[in-house]
Amino acid sequence: MSSELLFYKLGMVLFVFAASMVVALYSTYGERKIAAFLQDRIGPNRAGPFGLLQPLADGIKMFMKEEMLPEASSKWLFVLGPCLAMMVALTTGVVIPWAKPIMLDGQPFHFQVSDINIGILYVFGVVSIGVYGIMIGGWASNNKFALLGALRASSQMISYELAMGLSIVALVMTTGTLSVNEIVAQQDAGICNFVYQPLGFLIFLICAFAETNRAPFDLPECESELVGGYHTEYSSMKLGFYLFAEYINMFISSAIISCLYFGGYNFPFAHEMEGILGENMVRVLGFGFLFAKIFGFIFLFMWVRWTLPRFRYDQLMNLGWKVLLPLSILNIVLTGLFLMRNELLDLIIK
Amino acid sequence: MLTQYAFYFLSILAIFSALMVVFSRNPVHSVLYLVVTFFSIAGHYFLMNSQFLAMVHIIVYAGAIMVLFLYVIMMLNLNTDTEPNKSNWVKGAAVVTGGLMMLILVVSTKSADQLPIQKALNPNIGLISNLGKVLYNEYMLPFEVSSILFLVSMVGAVMLGKKETY
């Protein structure tokens, strides 16, 4: 590997890291503003113009708080929990193609850290180990509420992973590839995958809500029953890491939904605009469009949180196992029938 | 060169964490070390250019089965002080069976040393498209039979977990 490539990849990694951090930081501000808007309040408006410095103030506050390690907890695992949550949240962004390769001096510059040919499986693998941060933290706290929150989180995540995986299987059947880059490229100025997979998209979206522990699926940190859920014993920046990981997860899952189902960096009339604006300009514009889609989905996440009440735990399990799982299997069968429609028609005619 | 270092690192990590699974007193620590072991084995799969196997290994073992293990152990709340002491007879039997297992392993690895190393026919066989083609063309029947086996075990698990209503 040449050192140029290494530096380039390092730069991309830094970009993904910075983008996740900044978007997550301002998602906290966005969440409070949107909550305020939906509840007919003003929201944060003291720190800086329109309260724009509020996330920084919150961050400083988090760092300044007293660090507490419960006496009866297992110290190593107690610290490992939030670190793991944060690490797993940040590793998913690697396979997302942020823009079409931009040509400079006839050399393509890919806006993706790594185009592995099993991109979706990678995302799925990282999501599936995401539960460890919560479980380890909840158990290491040595607190009943935290343990209950951790157990809820783990069973919820396992249940919804299945439906999520099966909805992705249907998507892979239509696209014929597991590479996120290729899936996005296939939707180039054509019909996005949402048209072929409306049911799959709905299942994926609901499961994404459940996997990120957002309302109405935020049972693991259900205040009215479990104090603070799995992070009851946490204070200072360790708590901040848990809360921050949730926002990063939200950002990344929005990015993945936009890439898989809504065409990623593609946008309508891109090819027509290439003649007017030039190829590279359109690609930069596509980058902007991807972020517009991502912000749209983040808004949806927040909108739902401040609109719908929380599920009861048995309702959550019933929805996962008795509604979403059969629906996603039905979706696979329907997709299979659709893909084999010509052969089936031949069979019927004969 | 880099792959060789990665191999040594992963091997040492795998063996160390596998030993820690056995030696640590706390069952939750054991499970977490087992997760580390699975990750290092997945790293070995990556080194062998079978990315699909590596990812599935992580999803299935580290992501699903180990989470369930952890779940059950946390529910049972096993601690070192509540752990029942086994009688000496059981300990002796465990040592003998473990020793026998060790013996078989040593003998098999000793004879494996003399076998000629066979190169894989296609170095990219581990990539998902090649693997899928082989699995669904050449090994269609065993693949389907194993899926029926899974179905049967799933039905069995559901039957065991059901409340008896009669």
Side-chain angles (χ1 to χ4, degrees):
Chain A
M1 194 189 278
S2 67
S3 57
E4 269 176 43
L5 188 68
L6 195 69
F7 275 114
Y8 177 63
K9 289 286 178 199
L10 267 178
M12 272 315 296
V13 169
L14 269 180
F15 163 74
V16 173
F17 179 71
S20 315
M21 283 302 202
V22 170
V23 172
L25 198 65
Y26 272 88
S27 296
T28 60
Y29 170 76
E31 174 121 81
R32 294 173 70 174
K33 273 288 183 196
I34 287 165
F37 170 67
L38 290 173
Q39 296 170 347
D40 202 16
R41 294 185 282 116
I42 295 172
N45 66 346
R46 293 289 121 180
F50 308 106
L52 273 174
L53 295 177
Q54 187 65 42
L56 291 178
D58 284 344
I60 291 168
K61 186 191 116 186
M62 277 286 185
F63 273 111
M64 293 299 162
K65 289 280 177 184
E66 188 188 352
E67 190 102 16
M68 281 200 277
L69 281 172
E71 198 55 38
S73 68
S74 66
K75 305 274 182 306
W76 266 98
L77 293 181
F78 190 75
V79 178
L80 185 69
C83 299
L84 217 58
M86 197 70 177
M87 194 188 82
V88 168
L90 283 167
T91 36
T92 330
V94 167
V95 289
I96 295 167
W98 300 98
K100 237 183 203 180
I102 286 177
M103 306 294 276
L104 285 178
D105 299 332
Q107 267 195 324
F109 279 86
H110 295 276
F111 272 82
Q112 188 182 22
V113 177
S114 170
D115 181 19
I116 43 180
N117 62 5
I118 43 159
I120 294 183
L121 281 181
Y122 172 81
V123 171
F124 202 56
V126 173
V127 166
S128 72
I129 58 170
V131 67
Y132 280 111
I134 293 175
M135 277 191 93
I136 290 173
W139 181 79
S141 302
N142 206 3
N143 173 318
K144 277 179 192 141
F145 294 115
L147 183 64
L148 276 175
L151 291 180
R152 279 184 174 190
S154 57
S155 50
Q156 170 181 330
M157 280 177 133
I158 288 186
S159 311
Y160 281 80
E161 251 167 42
L162 290 173
M164 191 184 223
L166 288 177
S167 68
I168 289 180
V169 166
L171 180 78
V172 170
M173 280 163 75
T174 55
T175 55
T177 174
L178 282 169
S179 151
V180 183
N181 196 22
E182 272 178 52
I183 289 177
V184 175
Q186 278 175 7
Q187 304 171 60
D188 175 38
I191 311 165
C192 57
N193 281 333
F194 170 69
V195 180
Y196 298 117
Q197 291 286 333
L199 186 60
F201 163 70
L202 195 68
I203 295 166
F204 191 90
L205 186 71
I206 295 172
C207 293
F209 275 87
E211 292 286 327
T212 47
N213 291 327
R214 291 284 299 183
F217 299 102
D218 59 345
L219 274 299
E221 44 188 304
C222 172
E223 303 93 358
S224 48
E225 297 167 18
L226 291 179
V227 191
Y230 59 87
H231 53 57
T232 305
E233 293 284 348
Y234 281 91
S235 64
S236 183
M237 205 53 209
K238 289 206 285 297
L239 172 68
F241 268 16
Y242 270 128
L243 303 181
F244 216 62
E246 182 183 314
Y247 283 97
I248 296 175
N249 277 331
M250 203 163 74
F251 167 61
I252 296 292
S253 43
S254 301
I256 286 168
I257 292 171
S258 347
C259 281
L260 294 185
Y261 290 99
F262 283 90
Y265 50 69
N266 295 308
F267 57 97
F269 307 113
H271 285 291
E272 286 82 346
M273 279 166 82
E274 264 178 18
I276 310 163
L277 288 171
E279 224 171 33
N280 282 346
M281 202 55 218
V282 169
R283 285 171 186 190
V284 172
L285 218 63
F287 180 74
F289 263 87
L290 174 61
F291 267 83
K293 287 171 193 174
I294 292 172
F295 290 144
F297 277 108
I298 291 179
F299 175 70
L300 183 72
F301 269 91
M302 290 170 183
W303 188 10
V304 168
R305 171 167 180 186
W306 296 104
T307 311
L308 293 180
R310 185 179 287 140
F311 277 97
R312 222 171 52 219
Y313 201 69
D314 58 323
Q315 290 172 333
L316 173 103
M317 282 294 149
N318 278 346
L319 179 72
W321 288 99
K322 294 182 183 166
V323 179
L324 290 180
L325 196 65
L327 265 183
S328 51
I329 292 172
L330 177 76
N331 188 34
I332 291 178
V333 173
L334 289 180
T335 312
L337 288 178
F338 176 74
L339 288 177
M340 302 303 280
R341 60 192 183 279
N342 291 333
E343 285 83 345
L344 282 174
L345 276 179
D346 283 349
L347 215 68
I348 292 166
I349 290 164
K350 270 178 195 165
Chain B
M1 205 62 215
L2 201 64
T3 48
Q4 208 167 20
Y5 285 132
F7 174 79
Y8 284 126
F9 174 71
L10 288 171
S11 305
I12 291 168
L13 188 67
I15 291 168
F16 169 75
S17 51
L19 284 175
M20 285 311 285
V21 173
V22 186
F23 287 138
S24 53
R25 303 288 294 178
N26 192 326
V28 172
H29 290 181
S30 289
V31 172
L32 293 177
Y33 277 117
L34 197 54
V35 174
V36 176
T37 314
F38 282 138
F39 267 96
S40 43
I41 290 171
H44 278 299
Y45 289 142
F46 268 115
L47 284 184
M48 288 183 224
N49 204 14
S50 53
Q51 304 163 348
F52 176 69
L53 190 59
M55 266 351 274
V56 168
H57 190 78
I58 287 176
I59 294 171
V60 173
Y61 285 96
I65 293 179
M66 281 301 111
V67 173
L68 284 178
F69 263 54
L70 207 55
Y71 186 86
V72 171
I73 287 172
M74 284 178 182
M75 287 279 267
L76 293 177
N77 202 15
L78 292 171
N79 287 321
T80 38
D81 35 285
T82 57
E83 204 177 338
N85 256 328
K86 299 278 185 331
S87 71
N88 281 341
W89 273 103
V90 179
K91 281 180 189 166
V95 168
V96 171
T97 41
L100 284 175
M101 180 72 192
M102 179 76 184
L103 195 71
I104 291 170
L105 279 177
V106 167
V107 170
S108 59
T109 44
K110 202 166 171 256
S111 59
D113 198 36
Q114 291 146 5
L115 286 176
I117 299 164
Q118 276 195 337
K119 283 227 165 164
L121 297 173
N122 180 1
N124 289 332
I125 190 71
L127 299 187
I128 184 164
S129 54
N130 303 333
L131 196 68
K133 273 171 196 150
V134 171
L135 213 54
Y136 280 94
N137 289 324
E138 288 176 39
Y139 300 100
M140 186 73 190
L141 188 68
F143 187 71
E144 295 291 335
V145 169
S146 62
S147 73
I148 290 173
L149 189 68
F150 271 116
L151 192 67
V152 170
S153 61
M154 249 159 67
V155 171
V158 170
M159 280 307 291
L160 282 178
K162 250 174 107 171
K163 274 184 199 153
E164 287 182 31
T165 45
Y166 49 85

